[in-house]
Amino acid sequence: MPVTPLPTLLLVRPQAQAAQQAQRLAAAGIAAQPFCVEDTIADDAALAALPQQAASADWLVFVSPSCIDLAWPQLAGLPLAANLACVGRASADKLAALSGRSVLHPPHGNDSDALLTLPPLQQLAGQTVLIVRGDGGRPQLGETLARRGARVHYAEVYRRVPVAADWALFDRLAASNPALLITSSHSAERLFRQAGATRRHALLACRFIALHPRIAATLQQLGVAQPLLAADEPALCALLTGPR
């Protein structure tokens, strides 16, 4: 019995991360293309201030791969005493490889809720936590750590800017119902705004994969009937290459 070909996977995430992920997925036999509706622009002032902020921190918490890509080059080689933490395993693996140090991360889950359950972050009286994020990040992580006694500071090292997706690429692939990987609720909302009424039907015919239940809930609010979940890249590969 012939095997149904895998659909092309459109990676709805910032360009740098999408390009890196497309290369990794190609090695697994999965055709993937960046499909960016927003990108990140470095905040030069925040990056310049980062080494001084980090020098006085007890914890450095990175909330996304974009934060690591932009911030770690400013910190590499410095004698940092701070503990390192990330909200997900993929980010932690990236940071560990760059830093050569252990990185606290949740063994299960890939969000602030999961990170906040870990024992080292329960009692933080007198400790300084520097959260490295983009502009306008969710407040929950910092607010919770502050209630646990931490002095919380932020390094907002990038801002998000809208970019026009390659809708000509989407139109070429639409007949084969491509899959779309959605990595943030913000990107999901931008995607549907850009699609507009003319492409909404074709977009809803695609298979959507979300990294987190919160993103899946946003997709459902936007009209996606059954978004799939894949918390990390191995789960994504299994989802796409499983029985068809």
Side-chain angles (χ1 to χ4, degrees):
M1 183 175 184
V3 175
T4 304
L6 293 175
T8 299
L9 178 65
L10 298 179
L11 304 172
V12 185
R13 65 186 315 162
Q15 181 66 37
Q17 283 75 50
Q20 293 165 9
Q21 187 172 33
Q23 289 183 341
R24 295 193 302 270
L25 292 172
I30 296 169
Q33 295 273 359
F35 193 71
C36 306
V37 295
E38 64 180 12
D39 211 348
T40 56
I41 293 181
D43 186 314
D44 292 336
L47 288 170
L50 181 61
Q52 184 174 354
Q53 285 184 287
S56 60
D58 298 290
W59 285 92
L60 294 175
V61 182
F62 296 80
V63 303
S64 73
S66 293
C67 293
I68 297 169
D69 289 341
L70 290 169
W72 190 254
Q74 306 299 314
L75 302 175
L78 297 181
L80 295 175
N83 299 292
L84 304 179
C86 289
V87 299
R89 179 180 294 276
S91 292
D93 289 345
K94 175 190 279 282
L95 184 56
L98 290 170
S99 67
R101 297 174 53 185
S102 61
V103 180
L104 182 72
H105 68 279
H108 307 289
N110 59 346
D111 60 11
S112 298
D113 294 330
L115 181 65
L116 287 166
T117 66
L118 301 182
L121 298 180
Q122 301 308 303
Q123 301 295 329
L124 294 168
Q127 297 188 50
T128 298
V129 177
L130 179 62
I131 298 176
V132 185
R133 66 179 189 177
D135 64 326
R138 295 177 67 230
Q140 177 201 17
L141 178 61
E143 290 174 352
T144 303
L145 295 176
R147 287 196 296 270
R148 295 175 182 178
R151 296 184 294 269
V152 177
H153 302 285
Y154 297 94
E156 296 189 332
V157 297
Y158 67 81
R159 55 190 175 88
R160 301 172 182 85
V161 294
V163 296
D166 186 353
W167 289 104
L169 170 66
F170 178 84
D171 292 342
R172 290 196 300 271
L173 296 173
S176 59
N177 294 338
L180 292 97
L181 176 67
I182 311 296
T183 60
S184 76
S185 295
H186 203 257
S187 291
E189 291 163 351
R190 281 200 192 278
L191 175 71
F192 275 82
R193 280 201 299 272
Q194 284 197 22
T198 57
R199 290 188 175 91
R200 180 175 175 81
H201 179 75
L203 196 58
L204 289 175
C206 299
R207 181 161 47 155
F208 282 81
I209 304 170
L211 290 184
H212 190 277
R214 185 171 57 249
I215 302 170
T218 298
L219 287 169
Q220 288 177 314
Q221 292 168 6
L222 291 166
V224 178
Q226 293 182 312
L228 304 171
L229 280 172
D232 54 28
E233 206 159 286
L236 175 65
C237 291
L239 187 64
L240 290 170
T241 59
R244 304 187 297 285

